[in-house]
Amino acid sequence: MGVEDHQASLLESSSFKRTGNTWTAVAHIITGVIGSGVLTLAWSMAQLGWGAGPLVMLLFASVAFGSAMCLCNCYRSPDPETGPARNPSYIGAVRMILGKKNAALCGVVLRLNFFKLGVIYTLTSAISMRAIQRSNCFHKEGHQAACEYAKTSSYMLLFGIIQVATSQIPNFHGTEWLSIVSAIMSFSYATIGSALGLAKVIGDGRIKGSIGGAPTSTTIQKLWLVSQALGDIAFAFPFSGILLNVQDTLKSPPPERVTMRKVSAISIGIITFFYLCCGGFGYAAFGSSAPGNLLTGFGFYEPYWLIDLANACIILHLVGGYQVFSQPLFADLEGWMAEKFPNSEFINTDYKIKPPLLPLPAFRLNLLRLCFRTAYVGVTTATALAFPYFNQVVGVGGALSFWPLIVYFPTEMYIVQSGLGAWTRKWVFLRVYTGTCLLVAMFAVVGSVQGLIKAKFGQGTASSI
């Protein structure tokens, strides 16, 4: 067993040999974006209808793309293409371009966003684990059987144990292989969900749904459901929080921002296609009764083995997705502690452990990493146990993080970098754009919080578990 200086491994992230290319970066983004959010889109479409549903998805895709184009320029400072200073994280870019006060605010929002995603991924994986057991039961005993198995809490704890192990991957660069596997899983279950919806439409011989979406007894109830649907869609698209981390893996030349623009265009194109397919085919198949979770709400019962496969793909994908969003948070807080306590052996010492009799590379164990990341996984798991309401939690999470991370900070950084003067045409356009997005986000937050409260106090819909 050898000993290394942990600070050297932290500095390694800034001098790391970057070997990433267009497709490894696309894999990171697909892993981060095509996640649990895609499973809510049929339900979201049902609330918005054929008129507004596809249009809202395209609008959110456009916002995500615009955000990505702004952030690509923030990787290098002061010049976006040749600047010597790298900003390998979202918070670092905000600190460099907008100053420490904005960076402090951004840090709070971004860390809450990463934490929120850990909670939602824990919740979603548990639902899929339970769905596999129930699917086999329905196949054997009939679709009307009770098929009640262990509470989802047991599966959340199992997922937490898996994450304790995978969280020991030292840094974001080490997740490349996990992202590739997870991206393949994303494509697999998104394709299965779309295909099952299309097959049901063909089997039924008609397209369900309406222009206005699911009918409700009152206008206010319709507004609550629409606002929650907006929150769900807002959750499904963004990847701004990890964009600069992904960009930091790219080799150069060509300049990183050139590759990242291409990566963003490819990724959002693929994501939007799958989202329209999943949401559209799901809504066409079930109409107003579209389940809150397309693959675990048991709108589909057969072929049961295909549903099992889709849910297994979801679980494998979420193992990687959890890490893609957690690694930036780990690096940020562990780097701060190493800087704060440079002489602490607990924080700054890595131990090399070589598995005996196995042809495996040496594993670096750091006590801070082991303790902090285990505790973090424990807290996300406990939070998921306290709020096991899939659609509502997704809606609240998407609505809260959408405006600051996807709209406000990228736009402000673009204005500063471009040197836009106040009251110029582009400056006014960007201010109107951020203001409009803020109103949409506030509407989505209010409705999603109302849905979560309603579910928490015993009036939940089928989306609670």
Side-chain angles (χ1 to χ4, degrees):
M1 180 173 69
V3 180
E4 290 181 334
D5 182 62
H6 181 56
Q7 285 180 308
S9 70
L10 291 169
L11 291 172
E12 184 184 343
S13 64
S14 61
S15 59
F16 199 91
K17 184 178 180 182
R18 296 167 179 82
T19 59
N21 55 42
T22 299
W23 297 110
T24 59
V26 167
H28 279 308
I29 291 174
I30 294 296
T31 297
V33 181
I34 300 185
S36 53
V38 70
L39 305 174
T40 70
L41 294 179
W43 182 89
S44 299
M45 283 278 288
Q47 313 316 311
L48 298 169
W50 286 118
L55 178 61
V56 168
M57 284 195 202
L58 292 174
L59 288 174
F60 274 99
S62 300
V63 171
F65 183 70
S67 173
M69 293 301 100
C70 291
L71 284 173
C72 288
N73 294 331
C74 300
Y75 178 65
R76 287 186 179 271
S77 299
D79 183 86
E81 190 160 329
T82 61
R86 296 176 187 267
N87 298 315
S89 69
Y90 195 109
I91 297 174
V94 172
R95 183 182 297 110
M96 178 69 70
I97 298 169
L98 300 180
K100 292 183 178 179
K101 289 185 178 179
N102 278 289
L105 175 61
C106 175
V108 172
V109 176
L110 188 64
R111 288 161 189 153
L112 285 174
N113 180 57
F114 289 151
F115 178 81
K116 166 207 75 181
L117 289 165
V119 171
I120 292 172
Y121 283 10
T122 301
L123 173 60
T124 310
S125 65
I127 297 172
S128 290
M129 290 179 194
R130 188 172 184 235
I132 291 174
Q133 281 196 312
R134 296 186 70 200
S135 171
N136 293 334
C137 172
F138 287 135
H139 176 70
K140 291 178 181 177
E141 301 183 19
H143 298 173
Q144 304 304 317
C147 291
E148 292 299 329
Y149 283 91
K151 296 285 186 182
T152 50
S153 55
S154 304
Y155 304 113
M156 290 184 205
L157 292 172
L158 176 59
F159 185 77
I161 292 170
I162 294 169
Q163 287 305 327
V164 167
T166 54
S167 290
Q168 301 311 307
I169 296 172
N171 52 44
F172 193 90
H173 297 273
T175 64
E176 184 176 295
W177 62 272
L178 195 57
S179 287
I180 292 171
V181 172
S182 297
I184 294 170
M185 297 299 102
S186 298
F187 288 131
S188 300
Y189 71 74
T191 300
I192 291 171
S194 300
L196 287 171
L198 178 60
K200 182 170 172 56
V201 170
I202 294 172
D204 292 344
R206 68 189 184 96
I207 296 174
K208 297 179 182 178
S210 64
I211 295 295
T216 57
S217 56
T218 64
T219 302
I220 190 67
Q221 186 182 5
K222 181 68 174 179
L223 285 174
W224 289 136
L225 292 173
V226 167
S227 63
Q228 187 178 322
L230 291 177
D232 286 354
I233 296 173
F235 174 84
F237 274 100
F239 57 93
S240 294
I242 60 169
L243 185 143
L244 293 175
N245 299 87
V246 174
Q247 194 166 343
D248 190 47
T249 67
L250 297 174
K251 60 186 176 184
S252 178
E256 298 90 352
R257 75 165 183 164
V258 173
T259 305
M260 200 64 205
R261 284 173 179 266
K262 180 180 178 182
V263 167
S264 299
I266 293 171
S267 300
I268 291 177
I270 292 171
I271 290 163
T272 305
F273 172 76
F274 275 105
Y275 282 7
L276 288 171
C277 288
C278 282
F281 289 142
Y283 182 40
F286 297 106
S288 298
S289 60
N293 185 318
L294 185 61
L295 290 172
T296 64
F298 288 98
F300 304 114
Y301 288 92
E302 300 291 343
Y304 78 100
W305 61 266
L306 189 59
I307 296 166
D308 288 353
L309 175 62
N311 280 294
C313 289
I314 292 171
I315 296 163
L316 290 173
H317 163 255
L318 294 178
V319 171
Y322 188 106
Q323 287 305 309
V324 165
F325 283 107
S326 297
Q327 285 291 337
L329 184 147
F330 296 155
D332 182 32
L333 295 181
E334 289 169 7
W336 176 82
M337 292 186 73
E339 219 175 272
K340 194 79 171 173
F341 306 100
N343 299 317
S344 170
E345 187 174 331
F346 176 80
I347 294 172
N348 298 309
T349 302
D350 277 4
Y351 299 91
K352 273 189 177 179
I353 301 175
K354 175 74 173 162
L357 305 177
L358 294 175
L360 297 174
F363 177 74
R364 288 190 322 192
L365 177 67
N366 175 267
L367 294 178
L368 170 65
R369 186 161 63 232
L370 178 63
C371 295
F372 167 63
R373 298 186 183 189
T374 300
Y376 175 83
V377 172
V379 174
T380 59
T381 304
T383 306
L385 288 167
F387 295 96
Y389 310 101
F390 179 70
N391 275 75
Q392 293 84 353
V393 172
V394 168
V396 171
L400 285 174
S401 62
F402 167 73
W403 187 77
L405 297 180
I406 312 306
V407 180
Y408 175 74
F409 286 118
T411 303
E412 290 299 307
M413 287 192 284
Y414 175 79
I415 290 173
V416 171
Q417 278 197 312
S418 303
L420 288 180
W423 302 108
T424 59
R425 183 178 299 177
K426 185 178 282 189
W427 184 91
V428 171
F429 170 78
L430 290 174
R431 294 303 181 199
V432 171
Y433 163 73
T434 55
T436 303
C437 289
L438 176 60
L439 293 175
V440 172
M442 290 173 64
F443 176 59
V445 166
V446 172
S448 297
V449 169
Q450 186 270 349
L452 181 59
I453 293 171
K454 186 177 179 180
K456 179 66 175 175
F457 291 97
Q459 302 175 59
T461 66
S463 60
S464 59
I465 58 174

